Amino acid sequence: MPAAADRELDDRYRAACALAEDGDLAEAAERYSELAMEATDARRQALIASDGGTLAALAGYCEQARAAFATALALDPECSPAARNLATLDDVLSAERCDEIPPTNAPSEPPRTRVAIVSLLFNWPSTGGGIVHTLELAQFLERAGYDVRLIHARYEPWGIGSGAADCPFPVHTLAFTEGAWEPETVKGAFRDAVDAFAPDAVIVTDSWSFKPHLADAVRGHRYFFRTQAMECLCPLNNSRLLPNDGGFRNCPKHQLATPESCRECVTENERWSGLLHRRERAFSGAGTPEYDRLLRRTVAEAEAVLAVNPLIGEMFAPYAKAVRVVPSGFDPARFPWPRTGETMEEASPRLHRVFFAGLTEEPMKGFHVLHAACARLWEVRRDFELVATGDPPGRVDEFTRFIGWQTQAELPHRLAESALLAFPTIAEEALGRSAVEAMGAGIPVVASWIGGLQFTVADGATGLLCEPGNADDLAAKIETLLDDPELRRRLGEAGRKRFEEQFTWDAVIARHYRPLLGAPTRA
């Protein structure tokens, strides 16, 4: 870092310290958070983390303070302020949480069940359904009465862990420099942070090949091995989708059953993995005999593997103590019901919107299949428009329009304006997040009969399923819905009912997490 930039950061650090000394703790915390995102050297990051721990202790959150001091020492073992603060905290409070010591004469409250959620790849804001799920899981477990700590890594060279200060839920960031970015150091930092929180349960999530390392880091705690897709089953791309003669094919193997075949597949097809996926796989040592043993042990020792659909659950079942199928949850506040006002579909019934929510340039999402299906329909009818979240926004051809990527707040409005959602994936999607969101918006879904979608979409009840990659079949199913407004209404209303019963966070926590985690408060 240039000397001028160093001096500027030092000046801002001193200003944050002055705010803390003057008692303006909230403003100081905000300044420290900004500095933590910009600092790159371990010494400065450690001091910032240590000061943040001091603010947490002053606010009465001693476990958060311990975790911050432990992070500081992981970044810089010579950080004397962190070492002194940690020793003082332990001496004074003897490992009791500050926020559980009631004021004199105040009625005591029962302690809350503590849940740690650990993630290597967390980022915010995120367009990835898995990370949105993780953040909302923390939020809604907290609302349900649990004491929740979301702990994640930040490592700038990989672009992970950014935006923590903007999260709508407080998170605990473990910042790493390049010198500290090695598996045992990362595991040690997670272990210290989790141990400091002393949770009743840990949910290991948002990691691909590194997931068994995170599980190993929390060994000794009661932990759940959460899968968002087929991570730890398909080390290539988490979806078992392979290139095949200019196209793609779905692979029937997986890493627990056929580790040698998966190792050979990665060697042969590594170029079909994204950069972050390649980096994380190499960092984890995936494919080695040691990794295979670690994966099998951590799966076997987990309290349960939480699989997002039954197919994934069946793959883990022979190797796990228990498997529970737990779908992603959704915030019903994003999808008000019944809808108020006239939708675009009702206002312009002669121009039906066929909506695609996904990456148009990613072959596995199947937009090319949907476009081919709509091209066939356009030859015989002109009463629809294909609207997709592609870039750049604008008219693509006679029947296709891109509207750019939509935020979590914008997407429900786009769905409500549509006649149906098309989900033409050619890969084994774990759940099909946008299909659930369409049901929340009360519109029918036409989706590929593959992976988790065959469990998410009830064929003939909340939507229609079609053969993956078959543009003619997809066109026929879309046309069936375009021709029958009563069928669209009936499927949309049934989808909303299914959404409320199975996919809202209240339903998911009551049905799945509460039996796993126990009551929100301890007797």
Side-chain angles (χ1 to χ4, degrees), residues 464-499:
L464 302 176
L465 296 175
C466 63
E467 181 183 351
N470 187 329
D472 290 331
D473 191 27
L474 177 58
K477 299 297 169 57
I478 292 173
E479 187 161 39
T480 295
L481 291 181
L482 293 181
D483 287 340
D484 194 337
E486 177 57 26
L487 178 61
R488 293 201 303 273
R489 183 196 64 78
R490 178 170 60 80
L491 296 181
E493 290 181 356
R496 174 66 193 198
K497 185 172 185 291
R498 183 175 174 86
F499 172 81

Side-chain angles (χ1 to χ4, degrees), residues 201-265:
V202 183
I203 300 173
V204 182
T205 189
D206 286 335
S207 313
W208 299 328
S209 293
F210 201 71
K211 193 182 297 287
H213 289 284
L214 284 185
D216 190 46
V218 301
R219 195 180 189 191
H221 296 278
R222 180 171 174 260
Y223 70 87
F224 297 90
F225 200 94
R226 169 72 189 184
T227 69
Q228 306 284 22
M230 280 188 279
E231 64 269 34
C232 296
L233 294 174
C234 174
L236 180 68
N237 54 26
N238 296 340
S239 65
R240 300 200 300 178
L241 189 68
L242 299 177
N244 184 47
D245 296 331
F248 296 91
R249 67 178 178 87
N250 289 284
C251 172
K253 300 177 181 179
H254 67 81
Q255 186 170 221
L256 283 167
T258 58
E260 187 61 39
S261 293
C262 291
R263 183 160 41 253
E264 293 172 358
C265 174

